[in-house]
Amino acid sequence: MTAADLVERLRAAAGTDGVLVGDAARAYGAGGLTPACVALPDTVEALERCMAVTHAAGAAVIPAGSATRLDVGHPPVRYDVAVSTRRLCRVQAHDDADMTVTVDAGITLADLNGALAAAGQWLPLDPPCPDTATVGAVVATDASGPLRLSQGKVRDLLIGITVVLADGTRVRGGGRVVKNVAGYDLMKLFSGSHGTLGVVAGASFKVRPRPAQRALLLLTAASLPAAVALAVRVLDAPVAPLYVEALNAAAAAHAGLPAQPIVAVGLGGSSKEIEVQMARLNTLAEPPVVVSEGDPDRTYGAVRDLPAAAVCGATASVLPRRLGEFIDDAVESSATSPALVVHVGSGVVRLCWLAPPADPQSFAATAERLRAVAAGHGGWLVFDTLPSASGAAIDPWGAGIPGVELMRGIKRTLDPGGRLSPGRFVDRM
Ligand SMILES: Cc1cc2nc3c(=O)[nH]c(=O)nc-3n(C[C@H](O)[C@H](O)[C@H](O)COP(=O)(O)OP(=O)(O)OC[C@H]3O[C@@H](n4cnc5c(N)ncnc54)[C@H](O)[C@@H]3O)c2cc1C
């Protein structure tokens, strides 16, 4: 089938205004490759038809939402068509009494939370850039932010999923209610599948009450390890913070805070609940707690979005009690010092280089050293943003990941032709 035939058949499947070509398709480029066209189905049935067309054509497909993060992982080895969910963006059902919501995959987190706000509820997933992050992509990348401390991650909130496989078959897992049926847990399988197993078409989530008021407290410390130790004391204190993030001076400055190591503590609830917790936290810190001036949500947004500012970014995960040692060793191993944001409660560190590496080769060596440091502390490290110059020299996922053969088996079962985001994932699968 020629590229022109493929475009024609996709137009028949998605409608004439449901296919982009030329310059408009270039915005969906990934790893230096540009698709011949972008299909934008506006119903799940149209999505099934589009996938059946690409299946018949043997075309390599990358699922997309807003296409802000199509470069994560290895560059694709083939790329013919992007299938974007951006026109598949409705709230299908919201049961505010049961506290569940069912949405199309292309709705953004901001639009979804706008719709839930009327009932005083939210879906508390907060990766960077909620205005553009589509729900399907957040599931596919298992993206999270500061609120993971108190609210959990995708797999804690996702109760049902609808997926369209590479051959156009629709598959459902879970359901719309919290008490769910037995069966394969497709929700966990697709969380973090990075567009390699199927196109997420829709999802059902548990939602939570949105705290009526929010406050942000800032605690200063002499160094980042001291900030981490202070954050651990906050976590041990009789308070229930929404999030606790430790930032080094570079990260604090980038978020518009004083350029020094800082612990940012988010509190939520009624004004009385916030006041009581603030008084308890005041006994922990010397100097005492500083209440963020201005709009606390704005500063929180700047901290949440920091990983999106990275020209080069990595996420490390180590045992929470080894965070201090990991940070000391990581800073020693890195020729250039990144901005560091530490989700202390979960042992996750975001390393954000805010300028491109001057020497890509020596940066590749730094990357390997950092990965070895994380492994030495019983953890792992993934590069989630890489500049193209150093990209080829660095394996984003790292080698020797356990369970690769099992992953290959799942990939072969769901995408036997290897046509979905080919080469992107662990071990270039
Ligand atoms: C460390 C970190 C850094 C981040 N940096 C940025 C940033 O710089 N800019 C930004 O806007 N957001 C950023 N985010 C947050 C953002 O929430 C997610 O990356 C989100 O995936 C982007 O949404 P999107 O719709 O643009 O995704 P896309 O870029 O369209 O897709 C992202 C990935 O998800 C897959 N995918 C998308 N939709 C589907 C689907 N329906 N089914 C299956 N697979 C799908 C794609 O194939 C791709 O692998 C970051 C998150 C983290 C954790």
Side-chain angles (χ1 to χ4, degrees), residues 45 52 62 96 99 109 115 142 152 158 180 210 223 228 313 334 381 403 405 409 421:
E45 290 71 26
I62 295 192
D96 57 346
M99 302 184 68
L109 280 178
D142 193 22
L158 186 63
N180 243 322
R210 185 176 158 87
S223 64
V228 169
S334 180
L381 183 137
E405 276 318 306
S421 308

Side-chain angles (χ1 to χ4, degrees), residues 28 47 61-72 83-86 105-106 108-109 126-130 132-145 163 190 193-202 304-310 313-315 350 352 384-385 421 424:
Y28 287 75
L47 171 59
V61 173
I62 295 192
S66 300
T68 60
R69 302 270 296 154
L70 291 183
D71 273 328
V72 176
V83 174
S84 168
T85 57
R86 275 310 275 126
T108 63
L109 280 178
D126 67 338
C129 311
T132 46
T134 55
V135 164
V138 171
V139 171
T141 56
D142 193 22
S144 64
V163 176
F190 275 84
S193 56
H194 291 270
T196 58
L197 299 179
V199 185
V200 179
R304 177 201 61 205
D305 289 352
L306 213 142
T315 298
R350 306 273 190 207
C352 310
D384 33 43
T385 309
S421 308
R424 159 168 294 164

Side-chain angles (χ1 to χ4, degrees), residues 291-390:
V291 181
S292 165
E293 284 174 11
D295 179 357
D297 286 349
R298 227 173 97 184
T299 309
Y300 151 75
V303 172
R304 177 201 61 205
D305 289 352
L306 213 142
V311 179
C312 189
T315 298
S317 183
V318 296
L319 288 173
R321 66 184 159 76
R322 299 190 63 175
L323 273 172
E325 298 161 53
F326 169 74
I327 289 161
D328 279 340
D329 294 350
V331 168
E332 240 171 64
S333 302
S334 180
T336 52
S337 29
L340 295 169
V341 183
V342 187
H343 304 307
V344 178
S346 47
V348 168
V349 185
R350 306 273 190 207
L351 300 94
C352 310
W353 288 266
L354 301 171
D359 174 1
Q361 265 187 347
S362 79
F363 187 77
T366 296
E368 283 317 310
R369 278 198 302 277
L370 285 170
R371 195 163 263 148
V373 169
H377 289 287
W380 48 260
L381 183 137
V382 164
F383 276 85
D384 33 43
T385 309
L386 281 172
S388 42
S390 53

Side-chain angles (χ1 to χ4, degrees), residues 32-394:
L33 299 182
T34 307
C37 62
V38 182
L40 293 135
D42 61 354
T43 62
V44 181
E45 290 71 26
L47 171 59
E48 289 174 299
R49 289 195 296 272
C50 289
M51 294 307 287
V53 167
T54 55
H55 177 62
V61 173
I62 295 192
S66 300
T68 60
R69 302 270 296 154
L70 291 183
D71 273 328
V72 176
H74 289 292
V77 291
R78 282 175 64 208
Y79 187 11
D80 302 310
V81 179
V83 174
S84 168
T85 57
R86 275 310 275 126
R87 294 204 309 161
L88 197 57
C89 54
R90 284 162 288 260
V91 174
Q92 295 289 352
H94 173 208
D95 187 331
D96 57 346
D98 255 6
M99 302 184 68
T100 58
V101 71
T102 298
V103 294
D104 292 341
I107 191 168
T108 63
L109 280 178
D111 286 347
L112 171 54
N113 277 322
L116 295 173
Q121 297 177 347
W122 65 347
L123 177 66
L125 294 171
D126 67 338
C129 311
D131 289 340
T132 46
T134 55
V135 164
V138 171
V139 171
T141 56
D142 193 22
S144 64
L147 287 173
R148 63 183 281 168
L149 172 73
S150 60
Q151 312 292 318
K153 290 179 64 185
V154 167
R155 55 188 73 182
D156 302 305
L157 298 166
L158 186 63
I159 53 173
I161 196 165
T162 301
V163 176
V164 176
L165 300 179
D167 63 0
T169 310
R170 188 189 308 199
V171 183
R172 283 208 188 89
R176 290 186 172 193
V177 291
V178 174
K179 190 168 189 283
N180 243 322
V181 289
Y184 290 117
D185 194 338
L186 285 187
M187 288 73 76
K188 291 204 173 63
L189 185 62
F190 275 84
S191 302
S193 56
H194 291 270
T196 58
L197 299 179
V199 185
V200 179
S204 297
F205 295 95
K206 291 186 263 189
V207 295
R208 302 238 162 93
R210 185 176 158 87
Q213 290 185 42
R214 294 164 301 281
L216 170 64
L217 310 182
L218 303 171
L219 289 64
T220 57
S223 64
L224 184 59
V228 169
L230 183 54
V232 170
R233 288 173 59 208
V234 171
L235 292 170
D236 287 343
V239 290
L242 288 172
Y243 57 87
V244 178
E245 303 278 274
L247 283 68
N248 71 354
H254 191 83
L257 298 169
Q260 61 188 110
I262 276 177
V263 182
V265 184
L267 297 174
S270 65
S271 46
K272 185 67 192 165
E273 284 167 328
I274 289 177
E275 196 184 306
V276 168
Q277 297 195 66
M278 218 181 291
R280 289 180 181 164
L281 288 174
N282 250 315
T283 63
L284 289 182
E286 187 57 53
V289 167
V290 180
V291 181
S292 165
E293 284 174 11
D295 179 357
D297 286 349
R298 227 173 97 184
T299 309
Y300 151 75
V303 172
R304 177 201 61 205
D305 289 352
L306 213 142
V311 179
C312 189
T315 298
S317 183
V318 296
L319 288 173
R321 66 184 159 76
R322 299 190 63 175
L323 273 172
E325 298 161 53
F326 169 74
I327 289 161
D328 279 340
D329 294 350
V331 168
E332 240 171 64
S333 302
S334 180
T336 52
S337 29
L340 295 169
V341 183
V342 187
H343 304 307
V344 178
S346 47
V348 168
V349 185
R350 306 273 190 207
L351 300 94
C352 310
W353 288 266
L354 301 171
D359 174 1
Q361 265 187 347
S362 79
F363 187 77
T366 296
E368 283 317 310
R369 278 198 302 277
L370 285 170
R371 195 163 263 148
V373 169
H377 289 287
W380 48 260
L381 183 137
V382 164
F383 276 85
D384 33 43
T385 309
L386 281 172
S388 42
S390 53
I394 299 174

Side-chain angles (χ1 to χ4, degrees), residues 391-402:
I394 299 174
D395 181 336
W397 311 106
I401 307 261

